[in-house]
Amino acid sequence: MGARATEIFFGRPARVSARTPIGQLVKSSISNRTLDEVSLAAYQRLVETYPEWPALAAASTGDVEALIGDVTFPDVKARHLGDALRVIGVRHPDFNLDFLGCLSVAEALAWLERLPGVGRKISASTLNFSTLEMPAFVVDTHVLRVLSRYGFVRNTADTRTACDAVMAASPRWGAAELAELHILMKSLGQTICRYDHARCPDCPIGQHCKTAAASARRPVRVRAPNVDRRQGPTREQRSGWKE
């Protein structure tokens, strides 16, 4: 998928310090469709207000929503986060999710996705970006757009389908390699393969991209001469026209 070309273009990303699985679960639960700096600030407010996970689990939805009010859909995220933490608290009062590391990736994803509001992006982030360092590929909106435009998955593919397809194509990749691929593809989607405008000529993987190839084949529209049809073309305009 051009990972090497993308790495050369953007540079190799540095891996940040990993959170505990429960910390990453909380962070990922409020991050969807939100700028990284906004969701990180919201996460910091949560852990400063509720330094113990049982306290956050017991907090009211309204109080949590007030703390994460600048993320997208804060009411929905606050409700799902509280519900998920309370389910975890019943099964694991210490909120230690290290046991997930004893499961296969598929089993661990399935366990997390049974929690309220947890889909494939949150579950994969919890496994890959946490201290568990399990090889699960994280697909956000930018990554999904790049995969779709590239032709690796269909335009109708969802996050789960894209995640499964990438993991099936890279069975020997570890967590660090999949995390790096996520960061590079996300960077590509944020800067060049944007939702509103794909800058295909500038793309480091455009040589093999389905959308870039289609864009290159698209005929260039030639503007007609500026002719005042009421008076007809001038002699200078006629002389510049090709027969």
Side-chain angles (χ1 to χ4, degrees):
M1 290 182 293
R4 178 59 179 162
T6 311
E7 180 182 310
I8 293 172
F9 188 86
F10 288 106
R12 188 164 192 175
R15 183 140 192 187
V16 299
S17 299
R19 300 181 181 88
T20 62
I22 189 65
Q24 186 59 52
L25 175 66
V26 171
K27 169 63 170 61
S28 298
S29 295
I30 63 175
S31 298
N32 193 37
R33 296 183 180 273
T34 301
L35 294 174
D36 291 339
E37 55 267 28
V38 174
S39 63
L40 180 58
Y43 174 78
Q44 293 294 351
R45 290 193 296 271
L46 281 177
V47 297
E48 289 170 4
T49 305
Y50 303 104
E52 302 295 333
W53 299 121
L56 179 56
S60 71
T61 300
D63 287 344
V64 173
E65 181 182 348
L67 289 170
I68 64 170
D70 51 353
V71 305
T72 55
F73 314 116
D75 54 336
V76 176
K77 290 177 178 178
R79 185 176 72 254
H80 284 164
L81 178 59
D83 290 344
L85 288 176
R86 284 186 282 275
V87 170
I88 293 173
V90 170
R91 303 175 185 176
H92 303 276
D94 58 359
F95 288 87
N96 187 337
L97 300 182
D98 286 347
F99 72 91
L100 292 172
C102 299
L103 306 178
S104 69
V105 171
E107 290 170 335
L109 290 171
W111 190 94
L112 288 166
E113 288 166 16
R114 285 193 287 269
L115 296 172
V118 175
R120 178 53 56 89
K121 177 178 179 289
I122 296 174
S123 63
S125 298
T126 301
L127 298 186
N128 191 308
F129 297 159
S130 74
T131 52
L132 291 171
E133 294 188 343
M134 297 175 71
F137 186 62
V138 180
V139 179
D140 65 4
T141 54
H142 298 293
V143 173
L144 183 59
R145 180 169 63 254
V146 171
L147 289 172
S148 174
R149 286 178 174 172
Y150 189 83
F152 188 77
V153 296
R154 294 180 181 273
N155 294 335
T156 56
D158 59 10
T159 299
R160 181 187 300 273
T161 301
C163 171
D164 290 343
V166 171
M167 292 179 65
S170 51
R172 295 182 177 85
W173 284 32
E177 294 168 303
L178 290 172
E180 183 175 314
L181 179 62
H182 164 82
I183 294 170
L184 291 171
M185 296 187 74
K186 181 176 181 177
S187 298
L188 187 66
Q190 289 175 323
T191 58
I192 293 177
C193 194
R194 294 171 58 90
Y195 171 78
D196 54 347
H197 176 61
R199 292 162 39 205
C200 294
D202 300 328
C203 183
I205 60 174
Q207 182 179 1
H208 304 289
C209 176
K210 178 186 70 175
T211 299
S215 176
R217 290 194 300 268
R218 203 168 292 139
V220 178
R221 296 174 60 186
V222 179
R223 296 180 61 184
N226 187 16
V227 176
D228 187 339
R229 298 186 183 280
R230 294 172 299 178
Q231 299 179 0
T234 65
R235 182 172 59 184
E236 289 79 7
Q237 289 170 329
R238 287 196 303 269
S239 64
W241 292 359
K242 293 183 178 179
E243 296 295 336

